[in-house]
Amino acid sequence: MRAMTLLSAVGSALLLAAQPALSQENAAEKAVEAAKQYSGVTLNTAEEAGLLAMLGININGPEWEELTGISVQVNEIPFEELFTKQMLEHRAGSGAYDVMLVGPSWVADMARGGALEPLDAYIEEYGVAEEFDDIAPAFKDWMTYDGKTYGLVIDGDVHLLYYRKDIFDDPENKEAFKAEYGYDLGPPETWKAFGEICQFITDKYAPETYGAGLINTGYMHFFFSERLRTYGGKFFDPETMEATVNSQAGIDALTDMVNQLDCQPPGVQTWGFGESLSALNSGEIAMTITWPPVARWAQGINADEQALSWVPESTVVDKIGYALPPGGHPELASGFLLAVSPDSKNKEAAYLYIQWLHSKQESLKNVMRPLGLRDPFRISHYESEEFRNLWPTAGEYLDILKVGGEQGYADLAILETYKYWDSMARAVTAAIGGKDPKQALDELAAEWDGLTEQIGVDRQKEAYANWASKPSAYRE
């Protein structure tokens, strides 16, 4: 009897020992194995033209085909056309895309318009949810709308403040600044401090180096959305859906935004992403606020990559520090999800490709690559020893990115968000160009109210309530 019990125990132990090997198969491996049944299929993907698309063309697509036999045809679309192009193809029922690239702010529109395939059944079948606890909460929020999952995040954007450590840490500068302003020189924690530090550095170092150089064209809805909320403002009255962007908080935010141009380089009013990056790398500015890839490029990482030959050579290697922007709640500016088109003839194959790219294993590779403009969104990305050793201060950068993801503001996501974004960007640009900030915001609020009337106040109120209920919409 004891012998039988022992044999039974040994058999049970062997069975239990075998089970973890099966359960330890990760989301990437599960996707690859399941996708092999679709060998010979071609997936059409919508991608942002440029570096993002090059990742699919040069790396991810060929690797996926080698692993599964499924080929990937990348369709390059300019960012400003991505939403409208994908929606038009859906309305036409063309099936032009199997895999769709979706900004978080588009999810409400696309889901309500039937342009996104719900993914929950696939997620349950293929076990990718086991890795969801590894996603930073703000980015996890992006994936769902009205209780359903419509996309898997692949890129987590966070605006950071980049600053010249050598200038900020200089003992003479510290002493002079403290004497003039009464507090310690360091990364500005408020927008008032940002303006004072910017002016102090400009007064001492210009024209060789100015205190700051911010982006002022192209993406102004991101930058003003962050400032508005940092100053205590909100986008709408939740009861009436009347626009509140022209509140005193909004006026103060835009007025300071305009006034602080005085300590920045001549011509900064027309700077975009490229001009700000060039000025940082050349040493022309001591601060800027921008997207995560700038940390790698200012350090000279990937400088030998041919596709990045347009990035100016860095003269500030080992001199750049990282901090949260003033107010401590950075804009989670854009980022991307991958979704499946409901018009696809290869939905399951498309989903499996998305799961593979979203997985811990593959996403870590992609956020470290020069192509793709992918940025960390998983806790394991922030903790990766390989990533933390890419350059001497990479660990500091990843630590700040992690905090930014935890404390950041989500982009507004309501019905036809892009129209609200466009009008906000035009209003801010007009103020930067000389229009009175209050007038610019009053006109913006009137335009927003008109848009809301066209879309339907009750419909928009429901969409806004859904978005505003998320912790990342408004921070206390």
Side-chain angles (χ1 to χ4, degrees), residues 448-464:
W448 275 25
D449 288 342
L451 286 170
T452 302
E453 288 288 341
Q454 291 173 18
I455 293 164
V457 173
D458 290 340
R459 292 178 67 232
Q460 195 65 288
K461 183 177 179 179
E462 180 184 351
Y464 179 64

Side-chain angles (χ1 to χ4, degrees), residues 11 42 106 112 171 218 227 246 283 292 311 327 405 410-411 454:
T42 296
W106 312 338
R112 289 174 68 112
R227 283 228 197 189
N246 59 337
V311 174
D411 295 335
Q454 291 173 18

Side-chain angles (χ1 to χ4, degrees), residues 157 162 273 291-298 373-375 397:
D157 277 331
Y162 299 87
F273 174 83
W291 280 267
V294 168
R296 301 197 291 274
W297 298 341
L373 298 181
R374 303 279 173 85
D375 298 305
Y397 158 75

Side-chain angles (χ1 to χ4, degrees), residues 202-220:
T202 294
D203 288 345
K204 179 170 181 179
Y205 291 98
E208 287 78 17
T209 300
Y210 288 82
L214 300 182
I215 295 169
N216 288 298
T217 60
Y219 305 100
M220 299 316 295

Side-chain angles (χ1 to χ4, degrees), residues 43-60:
L43 294 177
N44 279 282
T45 69
E47 301 269 11
E48 182 186 0
L51 288 176
L52 201 102
M54 290 177 70
L55 181 63
I57 294 169
N58 296 348
I59 299 175
N60 290 159

